[in-house]
Amino acid sequence: MPMTPDDLRHIAEQTLDYYNAHAESFEAGTRDHDVRQNIDALLRHLAGTPPFDILDLGCGPGRDLQAFRALGHRPVGLDGAERFVAMARQASDCEVWHQDLLALDLSAQRFDGIFANAVLFHVPTAQLPRVLQQLRATLRPGGALFSSNPRGANEEGWNRGRYGAYHDLDRWRALMNAAGFDELEHYYRPAGLPREQQPWLASVWRPRA
């Protein structure tokens, strides 16, 4: 069944309500997560000379904004949860935009890279082509988009108060290719474990010329 505007509004509001209500516990639970593998994967594919302008899409409480800034780059955060926006601004001293993923307002060719760590799976599959086109348009030539999503068997729906779409590699490739991206690399996380113990699919993409 196609989603109505009311359906999409409900998905966005309920998911963001969850994160606003659990902002402090989420920050405490993810503060020490090591995502250097993901940060390095994005940075090694960016063309040009650093420092880079990087959009931390779904920046949460600001952990990765701090990491990019410590590396000398110019990160900008974006999140739909008001509590996360306030926490990220305080923690990182970076510019952080309050925007819903389903209502993005991004300037053309504003960023060298997009870091979408554990966020794009919250976009309903039917809306993902539009969102990906917006992300593609805000990348500069030679830019790249990193994504990491919990992988699945292409199921979609509510999971503990949050809406999610859990794609396998073939579906994710098809969605990204259709939106005008070419794959640069992919891998599963955490590293060094059997595949059944690697719930995250990470990938890096370049906008097709």
Side-chain angles (χ1 to χ4, degrees):
M1 293 286 292
M3 290 184 178
T4 68
D6 284 342
D7 293 332
L8 296 173
R9 190 177 305 111
H10 175 69
I11 285 170
E13 289 176 354
Q14 289 296 111
T15 301
L16 293 173
D17 283 349
Y18 173 92
Y19 283 114
N20 279 317
H22 297 85
E24 282 72 22
S25 61
F26 183 90
E27 190 279 331
T30 60
R31 181 186 306 153
D32 297 325
H33 284 189
D34 184 357
V35 296
R36 286 175 295 178
Q37 181 185 18
N38 296 345
I39 290 172
D40 291 345
L42 173 64
L43 293 177
R44 69 171 160 263
H45 289 294
L46 297 184
T49 303
F52 296 117
D53 293 307
I54 296 170
L55 175 63
D56 187 355
L57 187 74
C59 65
R63 178 198 63 207
D64 302 331
L65 286 171
Q66 296 177 75
F68 280 115
R69 184 166 184 172
L71 291 170
H73 301 292
R74 298 184 294 261
V76 173
L78 184 154
D79 208 284
E82 295 164 339
R83 288 290 300 124
F84 280 163
V85 170
M87 294 166 74
R89 286 171 177 165
Q90 182 174 10
S92 69
D93 201 29
C94 291
E95 186 175 358
V96 181
W97 302 338
H98 183 212
Q99 292 188 28
D100 182 347
L101 290 174
L102 299 182
L104 293 174
D105 183 13
L106 303 172
S107 300
Q109 298 189 7
R110 169 67 173 80
F111 295 100
D112 299 298
I114 297 173
F115 190 67
N117 190 64
V119 61
L120 286 175
F121 76 100
H122 285 311
V123 178
T125 302
Q127 295 297 307
L128 196 56
R130 176 178 62 84
V131 172
L132 291 174
Q133 294 275 358
Q134 291 174 301
L135 297 179
R136 184 176 183 271
T138 201
L139 282 171
R140 294 169 181 155
L145 180 151
F146 169 88
S147 75
S148 179
N149 295 311
R151 64 188 182 91
N154 303 314
E155 64 271 34
E156 183 167 355
W158 292 98
N159 182 4
R160 292 179 292 176
R162 295 168 289 179
Y163 192 89
Y166 305 96
H167 308 289
D168 63 15
L169 177 59
D170 287 342
R171 172 69 67 83
W172 189 244
R173 275 178 172 158
L175 289 163
M176 294 297 294
N177 290 158
F181 288 90
D182 291 327
E183 184 178 347
L184 299 174
E185 68 169 297
H186 78 271
Y187 54 90
Y188 295 93
R189 281 178 50 86
L193 296 177
R195 183 60 49 80
E196 61 270 16
Q197 297 177 35
Q198 294 177 309
W200 293 91
L201 169 62
S203 53
V204 189
W205 304 83
R206 176 104 60 218
R208 194 172 301 128

